[in-house]
Structures are given as structure tokens and as C-alpha cells.
Amino acid sequence: MVKVLVIGGAGYIGSHVALELIDKSYDVTVYDNLSTGQKANLTQEAKFIQGDILDFQSLKNAMKGVDAVIHLAGKKAVGESMQNPQLYAVNNMQGSINILNAMVEENVKNIVFSSSAAVYGIPQYLPIDEQHPKNPMNFYGYTKCMMEDLMAWYEKLKGIRYMALRYFNAVGYDALKRVKGKEANPQNLLPIIMDAATSRRDGFQIFGNDYDTKDGTCERDYIHVSDLATAHEKAIHKLFSGEQSRCLNLGTGKTVSVQQVVDAAEQVIGKPLKYSYAPRRAGDPAVLVAKADLAFKVLGWTPRYTDIKEIIQTTWNMEI
Ligand code: UFG
């Protein structure tokens, strides 16, 4: 049985990844400091170590006998990363360095890393392929770039092989509702809509309706978290089959506008939502969309969820 250490495996994406690995009969240990992750997200089959990526000794102990690491333990709030880069430097950069160094010491040779479309910054062309220049426009994106670069060096110098998976907009929940914990204080569109729909907040705003897009609102590439999870399992599998290290976009290749998300959410929820139009949010590109053909080809992966209503339904199911 392949032994995988899922670091950050109690978080939103990590818990879906852990589920997928358990479904595919991997031996899964989750390592998480529970700062934002929740024990409620873990299924019985996963072993659990409460630990921090800044605790090098604890990380090293957790890596004994492990065949591969999946690293999803990053902080991810773009705005916060600009206000408090120190926090992101320590958690995302020092933490990632610790993971790589612990892998060297414990002779673990494979890593799948949770990267982001944020590495690209403002798109120079669309759809964005993996050759697009990396030019992050926030510190969060920079921390992801740094780890990608480090992994390339550790491969050359220490033989550690990697897959960096650059997520576009992660949304949705496990359709079987096995992930129980909702994210606290959500920063992203769909969870904010859910908060408004359930009166946890008093409505929401659409940031900008004067973009040069199909309906004036921003367009994004929404990828279901269970599809992301499947890609991680396939990435591990490919690393073990000798596939070369790669950076891969994970998206659907299709865009959905903010207005379309809101309209679809109203249909799923079955009632009108309270919202207004507000000025553009600083730093938002009009359109972000992946060219994800490389992931399709290399991993033999295609997203199962392509209908935004179906995706929203899996999120709404968490509320009902
Ligand atoms: N939006 C609103 N109102 C809100 C929240 C968001 O209109 O209350 C809009 C945004 O302006 C944007 C779209 O909804 O046009 C999506 O916004 P999110 O905040 O959900 O996501 P982003 O596209 O800004 O960011 C996401 C991830 C980042 C990642 C980035 C690039 O959250 O981690 O995609 O892939 F860096």
C-alpha cells in the first residue's frame, strides 16, 4: 500500500484529497495544525497527526516510511498576504522549505504541491497555459512561485520529483457530504453567496459590472474540489509510474461570470439573493481561464463537474 502524508489534509481542499486517496486504497496520514483545518473533515480511515510545518522535528517524524507527500498547508487569503507578508513568508515559504528538507532527511522522493493560478498574475493572453510567464501580483502568488522554483532545484540537487498543481477557482464540496466542516470567515465568491443565502451575512456585492466580458462581470474558471482531488491522486500515480516533474494547470477551460454564478445560485437555492453592484475590486483581472490540456494529457484526467449549477448544488447541500 502506498503511504501518503497529506500535509494540510484537514483543510478545505486537503480533506477532499485525503478522501480521494482513501477511496483509491492508499495508506493516508493527515498532518495538520488545525489552524484553519478541522478534525470534522477527516474520515475514520485517515490517521491523523496534529503538527505544524514550522516544527521540523515533528515533520521529520511524520515522514518516516512515507512514499509521497502532498503539501496543501498554505495560507491562502490574497488580501491578507499583502497586509501581512511576514505571516506568508513564515508559513508558506519557511514551512515549504521545512517540508522539502524533511523529505531529504527522511529520503522521501515524491511531492505533489498545491500551487495556484496566482503564479501568473495579470494574464498576457488567454487561455493561460503553463508556458505563460510567471508574474504574481500578490505575495500569496509569490510564495507559490518560490516553492515551484525550490522544487525544481531540489529535483536537480536531491532527486525529489514533483507535480505542482496550479488550481484555478476551487469550488464545491464532496457530493456525499463526507467533508463536514465549512470554512470559517470565507473570502471567496461562492461561500460568501452561501452566507448571504442563509442570513449569516446581510447580502453581498458584485465587484464590477463594467468589464469587457460577456455580461460585464468578471469571468473565472471554476473547478470542483472533488475534481481537484482526483487530479492529486493521478499525479501521485504518475510520479510512481516515472512521469517527469511538471507544473500543471487544473481548470475546466471554460469561464463562468460572476453574474452567471449568482443567477445559477438563485436557481439552486430557489429564492432571490440580496446583492448590489459595487466598484471593481483592486487587482481583479477581467478573465482568468486555464488551458488545461496538459493536465488532461499527462494525468489522463478530465473534470467531471462542468455545470455550474451542479457545482453550486454540492455547496448548497452543506446548508440543507
Ligand atoms: N467577487 C464578487 N463579490 C464577492 C467576492 C468575489 O463579486 O463578494 C468576484 C471577484 O471580484 C471575482 C470573482 O468573484 O471576480 C471570484 O472571486 P474570488 O475571490 O472567489 O476568487 P479570485 O478569482 O479572486 O481568486 C481565486 C482564489 C485565489 C487564486 C485566484 C487565482 O481565491 O487563491 O483565484 O486563481 F489566487
Side-chain angles (χ1 to χ4, degrees):
M1 225 184 193
V2 178
K3 256 188 108 166
V4 182
L5 186 68
V6 185
I7 303 176
Y12 167 54
I13 297 176
S15 55
H16 287 86
V17 169
L19 270 180
E20 174 71 14
L21 293 176
I22 286 163
D23 283 351
K24 296 273 158 62
S25 302
Y26 287 76
D27 179 342
V28 176
T29 302
V30 166
Y31 185 95
D32 199 301
N33 68 2
L34 300 181
S35 62
T36 54
Q38 302 174 39
K39 264 194 152 168
N41 285 339
L42 301 174
T43 51
Q44 278 180 343
E45 293 90 337
K47 287 169 256 185
F48 177 64
I49 299 170
Q50 183 164 355
D52 203 294
I53 53 176
L54 299 175
D55 181 346
F56 188 64
Q57 194 54 47
S58 164
L59 254 185
K60 263 183 53 154
N61 290 341
M63 280 193 200
K64 292 197 192 312
V66 160
D67 299 303
V69 163
I70 304 188
H71 171 21
L72 313 104
K75 296 196 79 62
K76 60 165 190 169
V78 170
E80 183 186 49
S81 78
M82 300 296 275
Q83 306 291 325
N84 191 354
Q86 312 92 297
L87 184 67
Y88 282 67
V90 171
N91 269 277
N92 290 17
M93 297 167 84
Q94 185 59 52
S96 293
I97 291 169
N98 284 350
I99 289 172
L100 287 174
N101 287 350
M103 289 176 69
V104 172
E105 293 203 10
E106 295 302 326
N107 204 27
V108 182
K109 294 291 186 197
N110 301 286
I111 179 167
V112 175
F113 173 59
S114 166
S115 189
S116 169
V119 299
Y120 298 117
I122 300 278
Q124 296 176 11
Y125 57 86
L126 294 168
I128 302 171
D129 60 22
E130 289 82 356
Q131 306 309 318
H132 186 288
K134 293 203 286 180
N135 189 19
M137 54 181 299
N138 50 62
F139 194 72
Y140 161 77
Y142 172 67
T143 68
K144 297 292 182 187
C145 277
M146 185 222 67
M147 180 55 172
E148 288 190 354
D149 292 347
L150 271 176
M151 289 191 299
W153 277 105
Y154 273 67
E155 169 163 50
K156 271 188 259 186
L157 303 176
K158 293 290 170 186
I160 288 178
R161 294 161 64 251
Y162 66 91
M163 293 273 180
L165 304 180
R166 296 174 177 163
Y167 317 150
F168 280 65
N169 288 60
V171 282
Y173 275 90
D174 175 53
L176 302 177
K177 290 178 79 163
R178 290 171 295 176
V179 170
K180 307 283 183 209
K182 276 183 293 196
E183 285 191 286
N185 188 23
Q187 309 280 328
N188 295 110
L189 177 65
L190 196 51
I192 286 173
I193 291 176
M194 294 297 134
D195 278 0
T198 50
S199 303
R200 288 193 295 267
R201 59 183 288 152
D202 185 24
F204 65 96
Q205 296 177 317
I206 292 182
F207 298 135
N209 59 353
D210 57 350
Y211 286 96
D212 183 17
T213 55
K214 49 190 158 197
D215 57 24
T217 64
C218 287
E219 294 175 22
R220 294 287 181 271
D221 184 339
Y222 293 95
I223 176 84
H224 194 280
V225 65
S226 297
D227 283 327
L228 289 181
T230 311
H232 288 71
E233 188 280 321
K234 288 185 181 291
I236 293 277
H237 183 74
K238 288 291 169 186
L239 282 173
F240 280 107
S241 335
E243 178 62 45
Q244 68 183 81
S245 295
R246 302 251 191 197
C247 296
L248 298 172
N249 285 344
L250 295 184
T252 64
K254 296 190 184 73
T255 64
V256 180
S257 73
V258 176
Q259 189 69 59
Q260 285 176 315
V261 171
V262 173
D263 293 350
E266 286 186 329
Q267 286 177 36
V268 168
I269 295 162
K271 64 172 187 193
L273 292 164
K274 187 173 163 195
Y275 64 92
S276 57
Y277 296 96
R280 295 180 179 195
R281 188 173 70 175
D284 270 345
V287 182
L288 279 180
V289 59
K291 186 164 170 60
D293 302 36
L294 192 60
F296 298 176
K297 193 174 115 213
V298 169
L299 301 180
W301 167 83
T302 41
R304 284 163 299 167
Y305 288 91
T306 51
D307 174 13
I308 192 67
K309 271 173 67 180
E310 200 185 341
I311 291 175
I312 294 171
Q313 185 70 56
T314 66
T315 310
W316 181 237
N317 288 347
M318 296 290 286
E319 309 289 345
I320 53 181

